[in-house]
Amino acid sequence: MSIMKLLYFPNKKLRKKARSIKKIDDNIKLLVNNMLKTMYFYNGIGLAATQIGINKKIIVIDITIKRNNPLILINPKIIVIDKSKISNKEGCLSIPIKQQYFILRYKKIKIKAKNLMNENIELEAKYLLSYCIQHEIDHLNGILFIDYLSNLKYQRIYDKIKKLNKKIIFIKKHNHIK
Ligand code: ZN
C-alpha cells in the first residue's frame, strides 16, 4: 500500500467528473487500499478518488474516533433525501488552509452503492456521516465545498492558496528541490 499524492485546489483535475466502475477487480482493490492509507495518513474523515487524480467513482470514509472502521463506497448514489438541512463546519484535504466553513447539507440521506465484494448496499446516513457522504459525492462530480460559499469568500480562499503556492515554489527554488 502506498500513500498517494493529493491534488490541491485550484487544480483543474478536481473539477473532473468521475466515471462509474464496471468491474471491481484487483486494481480497484489496490486503489481502495491506497485511498484508505492516504486518508488515514492525512487524518481526513473522507477521501474521493478525484482528490488523488483518479477519475473513478470511489469514496472512502471513516468518522470513527478510533479510525478503524472505514466505509468503502463504489458508485455511490443518493436515492432519498430528507429535505431538512443543517449547517455544519467543513474542511477538505484538497483545500490546504486551516479555516473551516459552515456549509448547509441535508441532515438525512439514503444512498446506494457497491462494496468491495461487489455487493449492492443501501445505507441511511444522518448528521456527520450524511454531510461527509454528500461532500465526497460532490468531489466525484467535480464540486468543492467552497463552491457553496459567497464569491467573496471563495476569492479569498483562492488568493490565500495562490500565495501559499508561491511561498512553496520560492522555498523549493532556494533549496534546489525538484
Ligand atoms: Zn474534500
Side-chain angles (χ1 to χ4, degrees), residues 46-48 51 90-95 135-136 139 143-145:
L47 186 76
Q51 293 177 276
E90 283 185 30
C92 178
L93 292 178
S94 299
I95 294 155
H135 178 117
E136 300 308 332
H139 273 303
I143 298 164
L144 295 167
F145 83 98

Side-chain angles (χ1 to χ4, degrees), residues 24-51:
I24 299 166
D25 55 16
D26 286 347
N27 285 332
I28 296 295
K29 285 176 187 164
L30 180 69
L31 172 61
V32 167
N33 278 324
N34 288 340
M35 285 176 65
L36 286 172
K37 193 155 189 201
T38 307
M39 173 179 72
Y40 289 127
F41 179 80
Y42 287 103
N43 212 17
I45 58 169
L47 186 76
T50 313
Q51 293 177 276

